[in-house]
Amino acid sequence: MKTDTRLPVALRGYDRAQVDTLLERITATLRYGRWGLTAEHVRATRFDIVLRGYDQRAVDDLLQEAIRELQAAAPLGRRPGRPRVHSGWLISWIQNVRFSGAGVRAGYDVRDVDGFLDRVVAGLRGIAPPLTARDVRECAFRTVRLGPGYDEGEVDRFLVQLAGALERR
């Protein structure tokens, strides 16, 4: 957000002192992490309409930019569109996943994949050290040509989703 932006003044517009105060709080939050201001706080803010106030459209456009920046700076679990994931749901999701067999192609060893997912579930239940999203992204499985193997593409897509869900816990 451009903090040095000079907002135009209109005959009837937003109270300049109120707008300036909010912009200072937004700047302090983005630069220094102070004030604990969130995008929701900015959206909920209302200004008085006064004579010789800031142009409403210019302020609204600037605040939309600030909201986007506050959302991007928020911790992963608090970003919009990324609801928090509860362990119980995550455990159920992992236990109910089914992968197609690799058929005649090479695939991931079934025992390796199932064992890894069992470790993730044990970590979520608190009976083993928890695995992180990074652990999920960096896991590797043996491939098999003959014998039980899972479709590599399906497993890889699931692991990407699983890592994202672990970040939102």
Side-chain angles (χ1 to χ4, degrees), residues 31 52 92 130 133 166:
R31 282 192 185 157
R52 308 247 339 118
S92 176
L166 288 172

Side-chain angles (χ1 to χ4, degrees), residues 2-167:
K2 295 178 183 176
T3 56
D4 59 347
T5 302
R6 293 192 54 100
L7 294 165
V9 175
L11 180 61
R12 292 182 48 79
Y14 291 142
D15 184 291
R16 294 191 295 190
Q18 292 173 351
V19 172
D20 289 340
T21 300
L22 180 63
L23 293 176
E24 287 172 11
R25 290 184 63 199
I26 292 170
T27 300
T29 298
L30 290 172
R31 282 192 185 157
Y32 313 111
R34 288 192 224 142
W35 299 93
L37 193 65
T38 65
E40 290 76 31
H41 289 121
V42 175
R43 274 193 202 95
T45 301
R46 300 292 176 254
F47 303 109
D48 295 331
I49 304 295
V50 297
L51 290 175
R52 308 247 339 118
Y54 286 135
D55 180 73
Q56 295 174 35
R57 183 179 302 258
V59 172
D60 291 343
D61 290 345
L62 185 61
L63 292 180
Q64 283 302 318
E65 181 182 341
I67 287 169
R68 283 190 295 275
E69 289 187 33
L70 287 168
Q71 288 172 335
L76 287 176
R78 298 176 80 195
R79 291 183 186 173
R82 296 181 63 101
R84 300 205 41 97
V85 176
H86 298 285
S87 296
W89 178 87
L90 196 52
I91 290 168
S92 176
W93 180 56
I94 294 168
Q95 290 176 328
N96 290 310
V97 69
R98 300 290 176 257
F99 301 113
S100 301
V104 293
R105 298 178 316 234
Y108 289 137
D109 187 304
V110 169
R111 292 172 302 217
D112 286 357
V113 175
D114 290 345
F116 179 76
L117 294 178
D118 289 342
R119 285 186 19 226
V120 173
V121 169
L124 290 168
R125 288 189 172 142
I127 56 177
L131 295 175
T132 65
R134 182 178 181 176
D135 295 330
V136 172
R137 286 189 187 96
E138 293 178 352
C139 70
F141 305 112
R142 290 178 292 175
T143 56
V144 293
R145 285 209 174 274
L146 300 172
Y150 288 136
D151 180 89
E152 293 178 9
E154 283 184 31
V155 173
D156 290 340
R157 285 187 295 277
F158 176 77
L159 292 175
V160 167
Q161 293 175 336
L162 178 57
L166 288 172
E167 285 179 335

